[in-house]
Amino acid sequence: MRYPVTPLELSEELGLLPEARAGKKVRDYLRARYPDKKPGEKWLLDKEQADDVRQHFATKLGKATRIAE
């Protein structure tokens, strides 16, 4: 996977689509996890942030996941 990655790309990877507003579940998690992010600023995630999202949703969905290296 290339970085930075967007919440929509992670939503697709994690199988969280379709949803009414694509990527919303990931963005909601990111807002809670990184509250210092300025409202309206686009999310471009580095590998560490993307892996955090992957781990969170793998746990929440009850799935084991292998973090891409």
Side-chain angles (χ1 to χ4, degrees):
M1 170 154 293
R2 62 166 177 70
Y3 295 94
V5 63
T6 67
L8 176 58
E9 292 167 325
L10 282 175
S11 293
E12 291 170 350
E13 175 188 322
L14 295 167
L16 298 175
L17 296 179
E19 60 181 62
R21 291 176 44 201
K24 184 174 181 338
K25 290 178 185 176
V26 172
R27 288 191 309 275
D28 288 346
Y29 171 72
L30 290 167
R31 284 186 198 103
R33 180 82 166 110
Y34 303 99
D36 294 337
K37 179 85 167 172
K38 294 178 184 175
E41 191 175 347
K42 186 173 181 174
W43 288 99
L44 295 173
L45 308 174
D46 61 24
K47 183 177 183 333
E48 182 178 314
Q49 292 168 320
D51 286 348
D52 175 48
V53 171
R54 288 180 184 110
Q55 187 64 47
H56 170 76
F57 283 98
T59 301
K60 186 173 182 173
L61 297 172
K63 297 178 181 176
T65 188
R66 181 174 78 68
I67 303 300
E69 302 210 20

